[in-house]
Amino acid sequence: MSYTLNNKIKDLKPYDPIQGDYKIRLDANESFLAIPKEILEQFHNAVVQTAFNRYPDPYAYNTISAFARYYGVKNSLVTAGNGSDELISVLMSAFLMKGDRVITFSHDFSMYRFYTTIIEAECIEIPKNQDLTIDVDNVIKTANKIGAKMIIFSNPCNPTSLGLCKESVRRLISSVDALVILDEAYMDFWDQSLLNEVEQYDNLIILRTCSKAFGMAAVRLGFAVANQTLTSIVRAVKAPYNVNTVTQAFGATVLAQKEMLDKGVAQLVESRKALFGGLKQLELEYPKSLFLFNSCTNFVFIRTLYAKEIYEYMLENSVAIRYMGEYLRVTAGTVEENTEAVRLFAQFLSQRGA
Ligand code: PMP
């Protein structure tokens, strides 16, 4: 007897983030802010009080209530997940059938395509414009023409750092029959969220995460927000105990700290502005070598002829950034980290005589 792997998985490779001991990590869009000591003490108390022999609350009630209060949405419209990554996978497996057509954009978050492979949906990647903006009319036309069942995209976008304004997103949602999964993982850094409008649409699910603006990537906590009908389905199809008790408690604790979270977001935006400003200076000096995209996020996206060389140069100097073909993505870090990253960019460009 011999076991044969099926075609949809046989060539897959495990997700392979940059690993290694780099002094500065600006490669994963994480927050550079540490959780304050008083909050860590609350985490400690939560761990001590956890009934480890019991299953978690399947609805993560306290956690979604804290989320709902922070954003001013109804908690009956919120479902918690083990990171928004898990929710992407759950939504695709529940709302799509084998062979259904899903629209994603190029470039956008790579996991969207990955999950369509697993469920054997057909992934149609619509290219973005030359300037990496989205041609909404073309998306609407294509979705309706091919009978797309789902459109999934990030807004603001990872990796391009660009945002699509509310008005355009509303037009897209209301002009298609497809279910729109609007991934607002970076929306805490911008002000064009549709979170408060989910009840106006029968085809909208919004994803949020604690991994970026709230500095809790390690904890794995994400949320899906949608109208009542869609939320009932999302709650029905997720695994019952998908968010562990410790994560639920940490999430509820942090999401109750509105002032701290708002201050943290403001610091991250300041940091991105500083990084952007430093790199913009270099763009002015080396206009043929660097092009920066406007950023609505906590990272800066750059087109450069020297992407691979700069990436390797940074790694040699113990700074990890993200390399993507002709682009580089640099997460905003502390003042010192940003200064070092900009210094290395400058050093590379001057040595290269670019
Ligand atoms: N969506 C986007 C656009 C992201 O960039 C990421 C993280 N890289 C995720 C979702 C996943 O986030 P989480 O940590 O909540 O799984």
Side-chain angles (χ1 to χ4, degrees), residues 95-108:
F95 289 90
L96 295 172
M97 304 285 280
K98 180 176 171 178
D100 279 352
R101 291 175 166 164
V102 180
I103 288 180
T104 63
F105 304 145
S106 171
H107 304 286
D108 207 327

Side-chain angles (χ1 to χ4, degrees), residues 103-143:
I103 288 180
T104 63
F105 304 145
S106 171
H107 304 286
D108 207 327
F109 185 41
S110 57
M111 295 308 284
Y112 305 149
R113 171 178 271 283
F114 170 79
Y115 288 122
T116 61
T117 313
I118 301 283
I119 54 153
E120 298 181 89
E122 188 185 342
C123 183
I124 287 105
E125 241 172 39
I126 299 186
K128 290 188 176 172
N129 298 324
Q130 183 62 22
D131 61 1
L132 301 186
T133 55
I134 297 167
D135 179 347
V136 174
D137 290 322
N138 180 37
V139 176
I140 294 170
K141 207 173 76 200
T142 309

Side-chain angles (χ1 to χ4, degrees), residues 83-85 88 109 112 154 158 183 185-186 209 211-212 220-221:
S84 48
D85 242 340
I88 297 167
F109 185 41
Y112 305 149
S154 56
N158 171 22
D183 183 349
Y186 299 89
T209 179
S211 300
K212 311 296 175 187
R220 313 304 304 128
L221 183 60

Side-chain angles (χ1 to χ4, degrees), residues 235-268:
R235 289 180 177 183
V237 295
K238 75 176 187 64
Y241 305 118
N242 60 329
V243 182
N244 74 70
T245 305
V246 172
T247 290
Q248 290 190 27
F250 289 6
T253 304
V254 165
L255 286 164
Q257 312 293 322
K258 183 163 171 45
E259 217 174 293
M260 175 190 92
L261 294 179
D262 291 349
K263 202 169 132 221
V265 170
Q267 277 175 274
L268 296 177

Side-chain angles (χ1 to χ4, degrees), residues 27-31 71 84 108-109 112 153-163 182-193 206-213 265 268-269 272 295-300 322 329 331:
D27 58 305
N29 297 343
E30 295 148 333
S31 166
Y71 287 108
S84 48
D108 207 327
F109 185 41
Y112 305 149
F153 67 104
S154 56
N155 190 40
C157 172
N158 171 22
T160 68
S161 73
L162 299 175
L182 177 59
D183 183 349
E184 293 190 343
Y186 299 89
M187 191 53 89
D188 298 291
F189 304 113
W190 203 36
D191 62 357
Q192 295 292 301
S193 176
I206 298 184
L207 297 176
R208 303 293 292 231
T209 179
C210 289
S211 300
K212 311 296 175 187
V265 170
L268 296 177
V269 170
R272 186 257 298 155
S295 176
C296 303
T297 62
N298 66 331
F299 57 88
V300 178
R322 186 72 192 269
R329 195 193 67 194
T331 309

